[in-house]
């Protein structure tokens, strides 16, 4: 049966409000939680971007949910620091944590002052980071000289079993590449044929582990309000690669998205005031074989969404399973 989780968007919501929301998510029936990890929001209207790893410790203590986070080691984060963070959460909350690793976006990584590498270099850097993190979580002392450098690092506090390292992908080619090293795959909502092709590419290349999907939704009792929320909060997030990777400030995202129409936002966000429609699309994604679906309401106010989905949508999904 597919696990349905709630996504914590640090770019949009202050951490204290997110903590209240994840507690409420568990109370209304969500099975899991997932966290973003940004230094910058996608828009000045979103207006937040707290440190995810601090929040994860508080949220995991406040709930009994399993958690995942999407992280980009290699520039803003040294891989040894990420291994230490993963090891600590894994030791404190055994069996409840996974980390998805990706190549990142310039909007978060440019703060180091280093050049933003080409995509193929970012892929190679991530691959090195994965090997470093795995070795450290096995308890090995690691030295490495490459696109990342490590000198005699050792992670002393670790869980009995290393948490899964999941590959983050939005393209078929990247999904196939993730199969070389990942313990699972995560992607975002897209047309069903594309998602099916990604799953097939990952599995046919030998990909193991669980399949995760993040789904962006906008719900309000009135369709017009759901549209207004999506347009206000998510129109800066509709650009495909390489734009979404290479734009480096919230101000630039706002400038290039100033005239994005709601029709374009609807291609990235499931916008509807009809809870049955939301349930039907989520069920269609579950039927593709995703083991866990994290639902992200793109609005800044979460309480009404959580209550409505907990009362109407989650029971429909479970009764149909």
């Amino acid at each position: 049966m597919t696990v349905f989780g709630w996504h914590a968007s640090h770019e949009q919501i202050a951490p204290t409000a997110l903590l209240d929301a994840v507690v409420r998510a568990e109370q209304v029936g969500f099975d899991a939680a997932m966290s973003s990890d940004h230094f910058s929001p996608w828009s000045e209207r979103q207006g937040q971007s707290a440190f995810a790893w601090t929040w994860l410790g508080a949220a995991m203590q406040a709930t009994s949910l399993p958690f995942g986070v999407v992280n980009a080691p290699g520039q803003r984060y040294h891989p040894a620091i990420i291994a230490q963070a993963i090891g600590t959460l894994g030791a404190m909350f055994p069996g409840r944590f996974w980390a998805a690793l990706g190549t990142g976006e310039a909007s978060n990584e440019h703060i180091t002052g280093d050049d933003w590498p080409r995509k193929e270099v970012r892929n190679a850097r991530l691959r090195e980071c994965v090997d470093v993190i795995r070795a450290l979580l096995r308890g090995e002392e690691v030295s490495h000289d490459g696109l990342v450098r490590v000198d005699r690092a050792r992670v002393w506090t670790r869980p009995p079993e290393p948490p899964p390292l999941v590959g983050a992908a939005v393209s078929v080619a990247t999904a196939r590449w993730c199969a070389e090293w990942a313990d699972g795959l995560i992607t975002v909502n897209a047309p069903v044929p594309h998602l099916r092709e990604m799953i097939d590419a990952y599995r046919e290349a030998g990909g193991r582990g669980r399949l995760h999907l993040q789904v962006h939704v906008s719900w309000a009792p009135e369709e017009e309000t759901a549209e207004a929320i999506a347009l206000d909060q998510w129109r800066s997030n509709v650009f495909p690669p390489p734009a979404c990777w290479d734009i480096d400030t919230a101000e630039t995202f706002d400038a290039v998205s100033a005239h994005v129409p709601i029709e374009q936002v609807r291609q990235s966000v499931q916008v509807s005031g009809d809870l049955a429609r939301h349930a039907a699309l989520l069920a269609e994604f579950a039927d593709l074989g995703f083991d866990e679906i994290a639902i992200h309401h793109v609005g800044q106010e979460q309480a009404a969404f959580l209550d409505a989905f907990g009362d109407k949508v989650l029971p429909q999904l479970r009764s149909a399973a």
Side-chain angles (χ1 to χ4, degrees):
M1 182 179 293
T2 301
V3 170
F4 290 96
W6 173 76
H7 177 72
S9 179
H10 289 277
E11 309 92 280
Q12 298 178 271
I13 303 168
T16 49
L18 275 181
L19 189 60
D20 291 340
V22 75
V23 169
R24 192 164 187 160
E26 182 175 37
Q27 292 170 345
V28 303
F30 282 84
D31 304 309
M34 179 181 154
S35 172
S36 62
D37 182 5
H38 279 237
F39 194 86
S40 171
W42 301 93
S43 166
E44 289 192 352
R45 293 182 309 279
Q46 293 177 346
Q48 296 287 335
S49 216
F51 187 56
W53 295 89
T54 302
W55 182 86
L56 280 164
M60 295 183 78
Q61 179 65 30
T63 70
S64 61
L65 299 173
F67 276 74
V69 67
V70 181
N71 176 263
Q75 187 160 331
R76 178 170 48 121
Y77 289 114
H78 192 280
I81 297 301
I82 292 305
Q84 185 185 32
I86 292 171
T88 297
L89 288 177
M92 293 181 69
F93 308 104
R96 289 178 53 198
F97 185 68
W98 53 269
L101 304 179
T103 57
E105 296 105 8
S107 61
N108 300 308
E109 309 304 323
H110 77 88
I111 62 166
T112 65
D114 296 328
D115 292 336
W116 180 235
R118 300 184 308 277
K119 175 61 173 171
E120 64 269 23
V121 178
R122 301 200 305 271
N123 281 356
R125 182 174 67 182
L126 174 61
R127 192 65 186 82
E128 290 184 18
C129 288
V130 170
D131 289 343
V132 168
I133 292 168
R134 286 200 187 282
L136 289 169
L137 290 174
R138 289 194 297 265
E140 299 174 18
E141 182 182 283
V142 176
S143 294
H144 179 82
D145 294 291
L147 293 169
V148 293
R149 299 184 65 193
V150 186
D151 178 42
R152 294 167 295 174
R154 180 177 173 187
V155 171
W156 293 84
T157 299
R158 307 182 312 278
E161 294 293 331
L165 301 182
V166 175
V170 295
S171 72
V172 172
T174 302
R176 187 178 295 112
W177 173 70
C178 287
E180 299 175 11
W181 58 266
D183 298 321
L185 184 73
I186 186 168
T187 189
V188 297
N189 56 280
V192 165
H194 177 74
L195 293 175
R196 185 178 291 115
E197 190 176 359
M198 288 188 67
I199 292 171
D200 290 345
Y202 180 72
R203 292 301 193 200
E204 289 168 5
R208 62 186 183 272
R210 294 170 64 81
L211 300 174
H212 299 258
L213 179 68
Q214 182 186 9
V215 179
H216 304 301
V217 309
S218 183
W219 172 84
E222 301 79 23
E223 187 85 8
E224 295 80 6
T225 304
E227 285 188 346
I229 290 170
L231 189 62
D232 178 71
Q233 284 292 295
W234 217 247
R235 69 174 182 262
S236 54
N237 297 62
V238 301
F239 303 107
C244 59
W245 297 333
D246 293 344
I247 294 173
D248 59 5
T249 66
E251 293 85 354
T252 304
F253 272 112
D254 281 338
V256 299
S257 64
H259 303 294
V260 167
I262 186 60
E263 292 75 19
Q264 187 174 352
V265 177
R266 282 182 174 275
Q267 295 175 23
S268 300
V269 182
Q270 179 185 341
V271 181
S272 180
D274 184 350
L275 291 170
R277 182 179 173 191
H278 284 290
L281 184 58
L282 290 166
E284 189 174 9
F285 288 145
D287 288 343
L288 288 173
F290 285 102
D291 300 290
E292 184 168 328
I293 295 176
I295 305 170
H296 170 214
H297 173 51
V298 301
Q300 291 178 305
E301 298 297 329
Q302 295 288 306
F305 153 77
L306 289 168
D307 289 348
F309 272 59
D311 184 46
K312 300 294 184 182
V313 175
L314 296 181
Q316 287 186 55
L317 292 168
R318 289 168 182 145
S319 65

